[in-house]
Amino acid sequence: MTATGPTVRRRLGPEERRAVILAAARAAFATASYAEVGVPEVARRAGGSPAIVFHYFGSKEGLYAALLEADLNDLAERQQAADAALPPNTSARDRVRTWVLAHLDHVAAHARGSLAREEPVATAAIRDRAREKDLAFLAEILQPADAVRDRFALLGFLGFLDAVGAAWASDGCPEDDRHPLVEAALGALQGGLGDWRR
């Protein structure tokens, strides 16, 4: 018989530990709401203690805020990569369609989080920053002629997309509904803008 010694745990560096905790939090929040998830559960999933979660994130709110920020940054990167992969001279409508499809991929991957109605206060500033990035990216695509009117049109479009994305998520993200949702979103934006400009 061969004897095996005790399993040696490798000590994680700060960035690795932070990533492990965020991955554990992502898994926990994927199946439960903010109110339903506790720090002890996240710590257990991460193979650590609540104290280590508090050490890195300060609070449950801080943990959720860091997770939301990481996920929204990942979404923005995916949307920009999808846009960059399009051929030159792609129409503005097709560029926005690609951006919306990447958004829906994110909604489907985070369906439970897409339904979240209760979030900690700290997330409002994170969502506001992400919204400003979305506005800037869409403005670059659409090259607005009337800054004030077009900003309102883009804000309305983003609000519409949030609402229909949440409805789609509550229905279980049926693939058959993806195309009608995209067309409705594009129609809402075109209605707000008046035309595609490019």
Side-chain angles (χ1 to χ4, degrees):
M1 282 181 102
T2 311
T4 59
T7 303
V8 178
R9 287 181 60 180
R10 184 175 70 85
R11 187 169 179 85
L12 299 177
E15 289 306 311
E16 282 180 295
R17 172 61 65 193
R18 184 177 166 81
V20 166
I21 295 169
L22 283 174
R26 187 172 288 108
F29 287 116
T31 59
S33 70
Y34 177 76
E36 295 168 336
V37 174
V39 170
E41 177 188 352
V42 172
R44 180 187 54 74
R45 288 174 182 250
S49 68
I52 198 78
V53 175
F54 290 122
H55 171 76
Y56 281 95
F57 298 98
S59 64
K60 177 181 165 181
E61 183 175 315
L63 172 62
Y64 187 86
L67 177 62
L68 177 64
E69 188 161 33
D71 285 347
L72 290 176
N73 286 338
D74 179 63
L75 169 59
E77 289 171 11
R78 288 174 187 268
Q79 287 170 317
Q80 290 171 0
D83 183 65
L86 292 171
N89 300 320
T90 298
S91 71
R93 187 176 199 281
D94 286 343
R95 290 180 70 192
V96 174
R97 174 192 299 280
T98 299
W99 187 90
V100 170
L101 288 168
H103 178 85
L104 294 180
D105 289 344
H106 178 81
V107 168
H110 301 84
R112 177 70 183 195
S114 299
L115 299 174
R117 292 295 175 239
E118 88 274 346
E119 288 186 321
V121 173
T123 62
I126 294 165
R127 289 197 182 278
D128 288 347
R129 285 193 302 272
R131 178 68 33 115
E132 288 303 316
K133 288 179 185 176
D134 289 343
L135 288 169
F137 187 72
L138 290 167
E140 182 272 321
I141 291 173
L142 298 167
Q143 299 181 358
D146 180 343
V148 174
R149 178 180 182 272
D150 290 348
R151 180 175 172 80
F152 289 142
L154 291 175
L155 284 169
F157 164 71
L158 292 172
F160 177 87
L161 192 56
D162 286 345
V164 296
W168 185 59
S170 71
D171 290 341
C173 303
E175 193 58 36
D176 289 347
D177 292 352
R178 186 182 288 254
H179 178 73
L181 190 159
V182 171
E183 288 305 312
L186 293 172
L189 180 56
Q190 184 174 357
L193 293 172
D195 63 40
W196 286 101
R197 314 248 162 76
R198 292 178 50 186

